[in-house]
Amino acid sequence: MSNDLRRAHAALIPYTPFITQWSEERDSPSQIVERPGRGIGYSDETVNDRDGNGVLWFRMPSRPGQGRPLFTKVHPQRQRQAMRRLLCGVCGQPADQNADGTLWLLCDFRGDWPDWPERMAVTEPPVCRPCVRVASRLCPALRNRCVAVRARRAPVAGVWGALYRSGGHSPPVPVGDVSIAYGDPAIRWVRAFALLRELHECVILDVDTLCPESTAG
């Protein structure tokens, strides 16, 4: 890593999102096993490994601020916490809510379908209004192509995670990443690393109007 890149990286550390994984939060060693008739589990499973719907979750220690931020990776438990409690994914404080709904900052994909983002499942937690400025300026995925969205309803819909299949007499075999709804029997074969909410009754807002300084350079 060049000195210029190191300096740029260090400058971003104070703005590290709440849900970002840090380098000292390494994957916890775990052995995936098949539970006959019940999908997958850990060989040394505890009650903390599953959510209230019985879905198995990816294990990872929580050590925010230790090491360096891995901006392209998300910490599973903090993402889940932010989504369940409607916390801002940037600062971890309560997301902005008003009569029009909870505030999200999303990449602009209005060309995907006519009433986008209606009925869209998202893994991105909502945001608070002050963090719109930070996220829209500093997040490479959002810079110059984001919109603010308020959703009056955003129910928890499912999870995104690694899907496994039975290995027969061998350990279960991962077959790919999927988004899957709670209630789908196949969710028993998923190890989740993100919670999904589905957006309904959406209103799209202009970021510059919502936060005039958000695009200031």
Side-chain angles (χ1 to χ4, degrees), residues 44-66:
D44 57 347
E45 192 171 314
T46 71
V47 294
N48 295 322
D49 289 320
R50 294 184 185 269
D51 62 23
N53 291 286
V55 175
L56 189 71
W57 275 78
F58 201 89
R59 284 177 169 175
M60 185 173 290
S62 183
R63 296 170 185 149
Q66 296 187 30

Side-chain angles (χ1 to χ4, degrees), residues 38-114:
R38 295 186 291 141
I40 59 171
Y42 292 124
S43 59
D44 57 347
E45 192 171 314
T46 71
V47 294
N48 295 322
D49 289 320
R50 294 184 185 269
D51 62 23
N53 291 286
V55 175
L56 189 71
W57 275 78
F58 201 89
R59 284 177 169 175
M60 185 173 290
S62 183
R63 296 170 185 149
Q66 296 187 30
R68 57 187 177 84
L70 306 177
F71 290 108
T72 61
K73 296 185 177 182
V74 171
H75 190 278
Q77 281 70 44
R78 288 197 294 276
Q79 188 273 353
R80 178 178 158 198
Q81 178 186 1
M83 290 291 266
R84 285 186 60 200
R85 297 175 56 191
L86 292 177
L87 303 179
C88 174
V90 180
C91 69
Q93 298 301 306
D96 190 77
Q97 299 186 58
N98 65 17
D100 290 325
T102 305
L103 184 64
W104 261 266
L105 193 63
L106 304 173
C107 287
D108 189 353
F109 290 121
R110 279 176 280 190
D112 283 8
W113 65 85

Side-chain angles (χ1 to χ4, degrees), residues 15 130-139 142-146 206-217:
Y15 304 102
C131 283
V132 169
R133 178 180 302 131
V134 175
S136 64
R137 290 177 62 185
L138 298 182
C139 177
L142 294 173
R143 193 181 302 136
N144 300 323
R145 59 178 200 143
C146 66
D206 182 78
V207 172
D208 293 343
T209 301
L210 179 70
C211 185
E213 296 181 33
S214 63
T215 57

Side-chain angles (χ1 to χ4, degrees), residues 21 27-28 30 32 38-42 45 48-61 74-81 83-84 122-123 156-164 174 176-184 186-197:
Q21 180 184 337
D27 303 350
S28 297
S30 53
I32 302 293
R38 295 186 291 141
I40 59 171
Y42 292 124
E45 192 171 314
N48 295 322
D49 289 320
R50 294 184 185 269
D51 62 23
N53 291 286
V55 175
L56 189 71
W57 275 78
F58 201 89
R59 284 177 169 175
M60 185 173 290
V74 171
H75 190 278
Q77 281 70 44
R78 288 197 294 276
Q79 188 273 353
R80 178 178 158 198
Q81 178 186 1
M83 290 291 266
R84 285 186 60 200
V122 295
T123 58
V156 171
V159 300
W160 180 53
L163 178 67
Y164 288 73
D177 296 341
V178 296
S179 295
I180 190 165
Y182 282 120
D184 186 326
I187 204 168
R188 299 176 301 166
W189 291 90
V190 170
R191 183 165 64 143
F193 36 78
L195 194 64
L196 296 172
R197 281 186 179 267

